[in-house]
Structure formats: C-alpha cells, structure tokens
Amino acid sequence: MSQVILFLSDLIIPLTFAGILMYAFSKKVPVYDNFIVGAKEGFLTVFGIAPTIVGLMVAVGMLRASGAFDMLSYLVSPLTNFLGYPTEAVPLTLMRLVSSSASTGLLLDLFELHGPDSFLGRFVSVMMSSTETVFYTMSIYFMSIKITKTRFTLAGALLANFAGVALSLWITNYLY
Amino acid sequence: MLNNLWGGMILLAIVVALFTGNIPALTNAAIESARDAITLCITMLGIMSMWAGLMTVAEKAGLVQALAHRARPLLRYLFPDLGKDHPAHEPIATNFIANILGLGWAATPSGLRAMKVMQEENPQKDTATRSMRMFMVINMSSLQLVTISVVAYRMQYGSANPSEIIGPGLIVTAITTVIAVAFCKILDGLEHSKERISAPVREKNIRFQSANVRGVRS
C-alpha cells in the first residue's frame, strides 16, 4: 500500500501532462502557444509575490532568531507531548488557518532548520497540501454578500482542517 | 490583516530578543532571510511557469467547462435545495474544478459569483443557506490535487525526492473533502428534523426526533 502511494507521487505529474495534452490535441488547441502564454503569467505571478515572500521570510527569520518560537514551544510542549504532536509544527499549524503567505514563511523556516526530507519536513509538506486558510476564505466569501450568520460553516471548515492535520501526521508516520 | 500580522511579528521578535539577549542575531536573520527569499523565488520562477503554462493549455482547451458539465449529477446530490439546472451550478463547478487543478486565479471570481447567485434566492439575507454552507465547507476543506508550490519549496531546500509528498497529500485531501460533505449532510439532516418537530405531524415520529435534537444540543 505504501508503495502504491509513493508510486502515485511519481506518476501524477507525467499523468497530468499526458491527460491535458491529449485533451488539448483532441480539441485542436495550439498547445505550445498556450503553454507560453500561461508560463509568462506564472512567471509574472512569482515576480509579483516575491516582495511578499521577502517580507514574510524576514519577519519569520527574525522571530526565530529572537527565540520566540523556542518560548512558544516550551509553553505548548506539555500539551503537544501529551497528544504526540511535533511541537515545532505548532506555529505553522495555527498560522495556516490565517494566512497563506505567512504560513509559507514558517514552512520554509522548518525546511531550513530540519530539512524537507526529515519526518517533520515531510509531515508539514503533506499538511500544507491538505489544509486551507479558513479564516481568510470565510471572511472574503461571506463579506462579499454581507452574511453574518454562517450556521456552523466555521465549525465544519475547522473540523475538515483538523482532520487534515491529524491524517497528515498519521500518513507520514505510516509511510516513513 | 497582514499589516498588523507582519508588523506584530517583527515587533514581537525585537521585544523577545531584548529579553533573551538575542538582539545581535536579529540583524543576520533579517539579511539572510531576505537573501534566501529571492533565491527561493528564482527556483519557483521555473517551476511555477511550467505549471501555469500547462494549466493554461487545459483552460484554453475547455477542460474546466467539460469537467463542470460532467459534475452535474454530483452537484444535484450536494445541493438538493438548488434543484435541477440552477444558475449557481456553473460557478460552483468552476470553482471546485479550478481549486482541484490549483488555478487560484480562476477559483476566487467563480466562487464569489456562486455566492452572489445563491444569495439572490436567500430569504434571510444575513444568514447562510444550506447550499452556501455546503459550498463553503467543501471549498475550505482543501481540494487541490497537486500543490506544486510545496514541491518547489522542497526542491529549493535540497529534498532528494521533492514530489514524494503528492500521493499522501492527495489521499488526505480526498478524505477531508468526504468529511466536509458528511458534516454538512448530517447537519442538514439534524436541522431538518428539528424543523419538522415544530409542526405537529405524526406523533410517533416526534418522540424519536426530539431525542435527536437533544443529541445536537448536548
């Protein structure tokens, strides 16, 4: 089973290429021209978010150097030890719900400290791919149509994200 | 929100450093992080250009619309209140599929339009409908199949196999989406039975359903 899951990882990008290209050929769409148009957009997107990444990585880097994360880890370690949750991942887990770019800063900080192929690095990679910025999304969508009573929408979103965190930890344990 | 968050993070770092004696380390941390950020962006330029290019091929070939069309039976199951061929179906399906493919720029406009269309028929304008709740919870349960940015970050930090997390991420994403749907369906059912109690219908059912309602409140 774990072999299948890891094989899926190797397969998905070639499969995506194959599927999209075959579909585009069947619709007689100029594939390379469109690829160039999109690649330029992707290039400009990264160019556009570069200042955000600089800003947030500086803030996260300073926070780490100040010792604030160590203090937070010390404070939450009784709880995380009890739950069997990696203490280092606590700031990222919380920030993930609020801001996508700020949590990216924290993710990169963990990669630098522990390496992307460590247990922690793999766990946070899976977690980042299967959780969402709940508070940000909620506020944008509901504010756009002025809804204030959301009838447990937040509870449902938090439940799904909590499950995402727990399952990421479980699957990383299972695979590695 | 990021204004306060960002400013707060840096001020907090300085205050904590004053107490822990880490002030000298702050300068290096700031300068090194700024440099690392740009190195990272250079790696990302290549990978994100490739992915956005591929996704544009899919978009221009009409893959999003084709999948949205196929998804109609599923939409009828998820949003029974909307009925058959509702005008909100199209933006909902586009939003889901754009999210699944990781087309963030296509997901937000269609998502906002879906909410607007559903709001038009909403009798209580300040309260979310069941369909809105289902849409939002699924949307926030994470749908994206391949988080290519995480693969790019892993590559930048020297992972031996940057894409190995795609498979596990996909499985977890699928399960959380099922949990999101189940949550909304169960809540729909509970609210429905609660509404039926208030109307005096069949006496036998009332006793059974009031037990349900007590379960919700506890």
Side-chain angles (χ1 to χ4, degrees), chain A residues 85-146:
Chain A
Y85 193 77
T87 311
E88 299 89 338
V90 170
L92 173 64
T93 316
L94 298 176
M95 190 63 89
R96 179 71 180 125
L97 296 170
V98 183
S99 158
S100 174
S101 41
S103 58
T104 301
L106 292 170
L107 174 81
L108 299 171
D109 192 53
L110 289 177
F111 280 171
E112 192 174 337
L113 271 182
H114 303 272
D117 292 338
S118 63
F119 177 80
L120 188 70
R122 282 166 166 154
F123 161 56
V124 292
S125 301
V126 179
M127 187 181 78
M128 279 296 273
S129 345
S130 37
T131 45
E132 275 290 334
T133 45
V134 169
F135 290 104
Y136 172 78
T137 314
M138 279 270 296
S139 58
I140 286 206
Y141 278 66
F142 279 130
M143 258 160 58
S144 75
I145 53 170
K146 300 190 178 64

Side-chain angles (χ1 to χ4, degrees), chain A residues 9 12 23 31 35 38-39 55 57 62 65-66 104 108 116-117 122 125 129 132 145 147-149 151 156 160-161 164, chain B residues 6 13 20 22 26 33 49-50 56 66 119 126 128 132-133 140 147 153-154 157 159-160 163-164 166-167 183 191:
Chain A
S9 300
I12 193 98
Y23 186 79
V31 287
F35 178 84
M57 279 185 75
M62 287 174 79
S66 75
T104 301
L108 299 171
D117 292 338
R122 282 166 166 154
S125 301
S129 345
E132 275 290 334
I145 53 170
I147 278 187
T148 48
K149 294 174 190 146
R151 291 169 73 192
N161 278 268
Chain B
W6 185 76
T20 54
N22 284 334
L26 282 189
S33 304
S49 297
M50 173 198 81
T56 304
Q119 177 75 332
D126 65 338
M132 287 178 186
R133 174 170 67 203
M140 291 186 288
T147 314
Y153 303 147
R154 290 171 56 81
Y157 284 89
S159 169
S163 62
E164 69 178 353
I166 295 177
F183 174 87
E191 284 174 354

Side-chain angles (χ1 to χ4, degrees), chain B residues 1-184:
Chain B
M1 186 168 61
L2 264 176
N3 287 319
N4 294 330
L5 193 63
W6 185 76
M9 281 165 83
I10 291 183
L11 289 180
L12 180 70
I14 294 169
V15 172
V16 171
L18 278 175
F19 283 101
T20 54
N22 284 334
I23 283 285
L26 282 189
T27 310
N28 268 341
I31 293 170
E32 274 173 26
S33 304
R35 184 202 57 196
D36 290 351
I38 292 304
T39 327
L40 170 77
C41 286
I42 290 171
T43 309
M44 278 177 69
L45 278 175
I47 299 173
M48 298 308 281
S49 297
M50 173 198 81
W51 198 249
L54 182 63
M55 287 305 153
T56 304
V57 176
E59 218 183 332
K60 290 274 152 57
L63 194 63
V64 176
Q65 291 93 313
L67 290 174
H69 191 75
R70 291 259 177 92
R72 282 187 307 178
L74 184 66
L75 291 184
R76 279 201 288 275
Y77 166 74
L78 292 174
F79 305 99
D81 294 354
L82 295 182
K84 221 178 166 186
D85 296 321
H86 191 275
H89 277 175
E90 192 263 321
I92 289 175
T94 308
N95 175 270
F96 284 171
I97 288 156
N99 266 321
I100 288 170
L101 298 176
L103 305 162
W105 63 90
T108 310
S110 57
L112 293 175
R113 197 154 39 109
M115 292 296 273
K116 203 174 151 226
V117 174
M118 286 190 274
Q119 177 75 332
E120 279 164 14
E121 291 175 7
N122 185 2
Q124 288 169 284
K125 296 291 179 200
D126 65 338
T127 309
T129 62
R130 298 200 303 181
S131 306
M132 287 178 186
R133 174 170 67 203
M134 178 65 89
F135 173 68
M136 288 300 296
V137 175
I138 294 179
N139 184 302
M140 291 186 288
S141 75
S142 168
L143 294 167
Q144 188 167 4
L145 286 186
V146 180
T147 314
I148 199 78
S149 54
V150 174
V151 177
Y153 303 147
R154 290 171 56 81
M155 182 170 276
Q156 173 65 24
Y157 284 89
S159 169
N161 188 357
S163 62
E164 69 178 353
I165 52 94
I166 295 177
L170 213 130
I171 289 166
V172 176
T173 298
I175 301 176
T176 58
T177 305
V178 171
I179 290 175
V181 172
F183 174 87
C184 290

